Amino acid sequence: MAEPRRWYLITYDIRDPKRWRKVYALLKGYGEWLQLSVFRCLLTDRDREQLRWELARRMDPVDTLLVIGLCGGCVERVRAINPGEDWPEEPPPFRVL
Amino acid sequence: MSPRPVVVEPTLRVHSLHALAYCERLFYLEEVEEVRVADAAIFAGRRLHARLEQEGERVEVEVSSEVLGLHGKVDAVRERAGTLVVHEHKRGRHASGEGGPEAWPGDRLQVGAYALLVEECFPGTEVECRVRYHQTDTTVCFPLDERLRQDVVAAVARARLLRASGMRPPVTTEERKCARCSLAPVCLPEEERIGSGAERPRLFPEDDVRQVLHVTTAGSRVGRASDELVVTPPEGEGEPVRLPVRTVSALVSHGAVQVSSQVLALCVERDVGVHWFTSGGRYLGGLGGGGGNVQRRLRQFEALRQEAVCLGLARRLVAAKLEGQLRFLLRASRGDVAAREVMGSAVRDLSALLPGCAEAASLDVLPGLEGAGAARYFGALPYLLGDDVDPRLRFDGRNRRPPRDRFNAVLGFLYGLVHREVEAAIRSVGLDVAFGCFHQPRNSAGPLGLDVMEQFRVPLADMPLVASLNRRAWDAEADFEVTSDRLSKVGRAKAIELYERRKRETWKHNVLGYSLSYARLVELEVRLLEKEWTGTPGLFATFRLR
């Protein structure tokens, strides 16, 4: 019943260190940093649109962005090809630390 | 004659006319109560405008006029052969008219208003309107004619009238509109229409998909690194845990946990609740919910100052609590002849108390009824525990501050968590916890929180606890601090898990007829409570266990 969420792989190429920092910090608030300029985020449609808007405000036309939406089958294959990594289907609704 | 003071009414956002044309109630909620929920479509629209700006397409012009009573930002105004053309960009598709593409009524009104504003700046110039629909890649043009002028003036007059009135307009009769409305979870149109009986489309107010973060390790620090929350355990107890702030719905700190001021600022900004418990599990209070909501609060105070309203609500609340207790006893002892025999008198007494709640003559009578019910209920509760439950975990009457046995320790802790949930819901709906109907105003705990919580004690705390004890999920040694009969760190984590899992269980509402999670039910009850004094009374405190 909760809003459906999907995995997204987000990669970028930013030509200016100042903008790069801003984009990096923004993405840290949405998801997990995997590798240099590669993030993965589990987003609802609303989050995705909000993120795209926030990115559009911080980036310049010379910068490039690639947002890859992963369907259930794609995530399955990511899991199969990279068995060490954990791509949870539905993260638990709480954390106790 | 002395000059009369001129009262200048604040101007309206042109954009609000768009909402007005869609639904008057939407206009009222957004412009008067200032409840705004940005959904995916709104962000997509903002991104379109950001993109146009980058492509050099858009020259925003701010215009306002006190004569017209409007202000707003025009996407662009360009001159073409002596005519001023007002441009507006829309992300979606155009409406189909008889003679080809047309603008939607709301868009027509909005652009018409911009055109009037532009005309006022450049009197005597011809003005034309253009709306570009990006999805279908069409541009619709229309002149600023007499009909459009009249429509705009009429809409502004209607908007002012609505703004001046204290009454929220009814839900729209065009149900299709609600399915795509971003404010449906606040407006709850489906629940308003429940009385009319016919089959309705279901509009689920969605669950919050973000995580609740409980920090229970004494000595942890919660800090901020850009938009991440970083929870650092005490020295030598592991690595910091990093969480993106948008994946967190509430930060709950138990006992000696440091939360930096930067984290608090971030949480307030990002609509993340922050709540504090003592290490013993008592709820201290919390942050969150945003400011304002003055209309809602004024209506709450006005309604709850009337004794008849308070009495009516309190009667139903106590009846709901007692009936919840009764139903739990019956349900848990179903098919168990021995338990039924022992509990027989408690069940009979509880049923006998129920009619008394509905007829209680004043607020002073109700606490007595509630107390009598609680005594019967807690007297019968021990018989619901199976024979093989550890004797150290058994229960013999409710006690607190401090709890004198292990059962009461967990129960008190769970009640604290329920209390937090309810207060967070009250804040997010925009009501004031400090003014309730049944509990008397005191300084320490918010009476409204305690009021609303009464319905949830049994389903959210008592039921999962009894079930978990019967499953033998508790360890009388490891889960408790034996010296003080408090939960240990392991026990606390267990209790949190028990509660949070229960909260996510879905359940079919006996009156509204659709399934929803208990987490959602808490917020729904608060919204239904608000409806008690805003036009649709009768739904609050009507849910029952089966």
Side-chain angles (χ1 to χ4, degrees):
Chain A
M1 206 177 61
E3 279 180 90
R5 284 186 286 183
R6 267 184 288 277
W7 280 110
Y8 291 89
L9 205 58
I10 297 173
T11 76
Y12 52 80
D13 192 356
I14 311 278
R15 312 294 162 91
D16 170 65
K18 201 170 163 186
R19 289 201 302 274
W20 173 80
R21 287 209 149 276
K22 283 187 180 163
V23 168
Y24 180 75
L26 174 73
L27 278 163
K28 282 234 150 178
Y30 279 92
E32 194 186 336
W33 179 68
L34 289 182
Q35 291 160 24
L36 288 176
S37 38
V38 181
F39 276 82
R40 69 164 187 190
C41 307
L42 188 59
L43 303 174
T44 61
D45 287 357
R46 176 209 308 250
D47 293 336
R48 185 195 63 219
E49 288 306 326
Q50 185 173 10
L51 174 61
R52 293 283 276 118
W53 173 61
E54 301 255 17
L55 282 169
R57 290 206 307 176
R58 284 164 178 74
M59 290 170 65
D60 195 83
V62 298
D63 302 330
T64 56
L65 174 74
L66 185 61
V67 180
I68 306 167
L70 300 176
C71 65
C74 304
V75 178
E76 277 306 318
R77 271 159 59 201
V78 172
R79 285 190 195 118
I81 299 170
N82 308 295
E85 279 177 42
D86 176 31
W87 291 64
E89 235 156 75
E90 193 60 42
F94 62 97
R95 289 272 305 256
V96 182
L97 295 173
Chain B
M1 216 169 82
S2 62
R4 248 185 223 178
V6 184
V7 182
V8 183
E9 219 184 308
T11 51
L12 281 166
R13 288 193 311 151
V14 170
H15 202 251
S16 70
L17 296 181
H18 193 274
L20 182 76
Y22 194 77
C23 168
E24 290 198 346
R25 189 173 166 98
L26 172 67
F27 167 84
Y28 192 86
L29 285 170
E30 284 197 338
E31 296 305 314
V32 184
E33 300 196 18
E34 305 215 346
V35 183
R36 295 200 177 98
V37 180
D39 60 7
I42 289 171
F43 285 114
R46 287 192 200 165
R47 185 156 65 85
L48 168 74
H49 283 80
R51 201 188 76 206
L52 291 171
E53 211 160 331
Q54 280 178 353
E55 290 168 2
E57 263 290 306
R58 186 154 158 262
V59 203
E60 241 179 31
V61 189
E62 234 181 313
V63 277
S64 77
S65 155
E66 272 180 14
V67 181
L68 294 165
L70 288 168
H71 73 267
K73 279 185 193 161
V74 191
D75 280 351
V77 185
R78 296 204 174 84
E79 199 194 329
R80 196 162 289 180
T83 307
L84 286 173
V85 183
V86 174
H87 290 263
E88 172 68 22
H89 292 274
K90 291 285 173 196
R91 201 178 55 89
R93 56 177 73 239
H94 58 80
S96 48
E98 281 165 20
E102 257 183 34
W104 296 98
D107 298 342
R108 250 181 84 83
L109 209 55
Q110 189 186 352
V111 186
Y114 287 134
L116 276 178
L117 286 168
V118 168
E119 192 193 44
E120 203 188 271
C121 301
F122 305 97
T125 330
E126 195 97 337
V127 183
E128 200 193 62
C129 308
R130 283 193 182 193
V131 188
R132 176 148 194 85
Y133 289 96
H134 283 255
Q135 198 181 333
T136 46
D137 209 8
T138 21
T139 306
V140 180
C141 308
F142 48 93
L144 176 62
D145 56 12
E146 201 44 46
R147 212 189 97 210
L148 187 53
R149 279 172 208 273
Q150 281 173 4
D151 285 350
V152 175
V153 173
V156 173
R158 179 75 189 145
R160 295 197 146 175
L161 194 73
L162 283 175
R163 202 164 59 169
S165 85
M167 281 303 290
R168 205 182 281 172
V171 293
T172 173
T173 47
E174 294 168 77
E175 286 164 29
R176 280 175 308 119
K177 285 184 170 178
C178 300
R180 300 196 57 181
C181 177
S182 61
L183 281 188
V186 176
C187 165
L188 296 182
E190 194 188 2
E191 286 74 9
E192 294 253 323
R193 294 183 188 122
I194 204 117
S196 51
E199 210 37 44
R200 302 282 168 197
R202 285 184 181 179
L203 300 166
F204 285 127
E206 277 141 346
D207 270 349
D208 196 337
V209 289
R210 301 175 297 171
Q211 288 182 323
V212 179
L213 173 63
H214 292 268
V215 184
T216 61
T217 311
S220 296
R221 282 171 293 133
V222 187
R224 171 184 181 177
S226 62
D227 277 3
E228 278 182 314
L229 301 182
V230 184
V231 185
T232 316
E235 200 114 332
E237 288 187 33
E239 289 301 300
V241 177
R242 311 174 87 89
L243 292 143
V245 68
R246 285 180 187 79
T247 64
V248 179
S249 68
L251 167 64
V252 185
S253 122
H254 296 263
V257 174
Q258 292 270 6
V259 180
S260 81
S261 129
Q262 287 84 343
V263 167
L264 295 182
L266 181 70
C267 288
V268 169
E269 190 195 338
R270 296 274 186 260
D271 195 23
V272 178
V274 187
H275 301 265
W276 286 271
F277 281 84
T278 63
S279 54
R282 191 160 59 85
Y283 180 55
L284 290 171
L287 265 184
N293 293 313
V294 62
Q295 292 255 352
R296 289 171 173 238
R297 285 175 190 221
L298 282 174
R299 277 199 290 251
Q300 177 194 354
F301 298 152
E302 249 164 53
L304 294 181
R305 284 181 77 87
Q306 299 167 27
E307 222 163 284
V309 175
C310 275
L311 180 62
L313 289 174
R315 278 174 181 166
R316 263 149 66 192
L317 206 53
V318 175
K321 180 179 183 181
L322 295 187
E323 206 175 331
Q325 294 173 336
L326 173 65
R327 287 187 182 216
F328 176 42
L329 291 183
L330 290 173
R331 176 176 156 148
S333 61
R334 198 173 290 160
D336 186 345
V337 185
R340 274 279 161 92
E341 231 162 69
V342 196
M343 290 190 315
S345 69
V347 168
R348 269 194 306 278
D349 290 352
L350 268 173
S351 331
L353 285 170
L354 275 175
C357 302
E359 293 155 10
S362 77
L363 276 172
D364 310 331
V365 188
L366 285 166
L369 289 168
E370 189 207 8
R376 301 286 182 280
Y377 170 70
F378 284 118
L381 205 54
Y383 301 109
L384 298 184
L385 297 177
D387 296 330
D388 48 357
V389 172
D390 192 321
R392 288 170 293 180
L393 291 167
R394 288 206 164 266
F395 173 63
D396 184 28
R398 172 89 180 115
N399 55 62
R400 65 213 181 100
R401 287 187 192 174
R404 289 198 295 269
D405 57 60
R406 292 179 171 87
F407 189 100
N408 276 299
V410 195
L411 196 62
F413 186 79
L414 291 175
Y415 285 159
L417 293 177
V418 179
H419 191 183
R420 183 205 79 82
E421 198 78 45
V422 170
E423 285 220 357
I426 292 173
R427 284 206 181 86
S428 73
V429 172
L431 298 183
D432 193 335
V433 285
F435 200 4
C437 54
F438 176 50
H439 289 87
Q440 289 313 298
R442 279 189 298 133
N443 277 332
S444 54
L448 189 62
L450 296 172
D451 286 351
V452 176
M453 185 184 158
E454 292 297 355
Q455 312 176 66
F456 294 106
R457 288 178 192 263
V458 172
L460 282 180
D462 303 2
M463 288 173 72
L465 176 59
V466 168
S468 70
L469 282 164
N470 285 335
R471 279 200 308 273
R472 281 185 285 171
W474 294 89
D475 181 332
E477 289 303 319
D479 294 341
F480 297 89
E481 284 170 8
V482 182
T483 46
S484 59
D485 266 331
R486 269 184 6 191
L487 285 164
S488 69
K489 198 188 151 196
V490 190
R492 207 156 20 176
K494 238 180 221 182
I496 291 171
E497 173 153 3
L498 185 68
Y499 173 76
E500 294 281 353
R501 291 224 178 276
R502 175 68 175 170
K503 215 174 88 180
R504 292 284 158 158
E505 276 174 31
T506 55
W507 171 86
K508 192 171 172 195
H509 198 291
N510 52 319
V511 177
L512 300 176
Y514 56 65
S515 300
L516 72 172
S517 67
Y518 283 105
R520 185 56 218 172
L521 181 64
V522 175
E523 193 192 319
L524 184 70
E525 273 302 306
V526 182
R527 292 202 187 277
L528 292 178
L529 173 65
E530 204 228 353
K531 282 185 187 292
E532 291 293 326
W533 52 79
T534 53
T536 324
L539 288 171
F540 175 68
T542 52
F543 87 85
R544 295 289 185 271
L545 297 166
R546 261 171 263 274

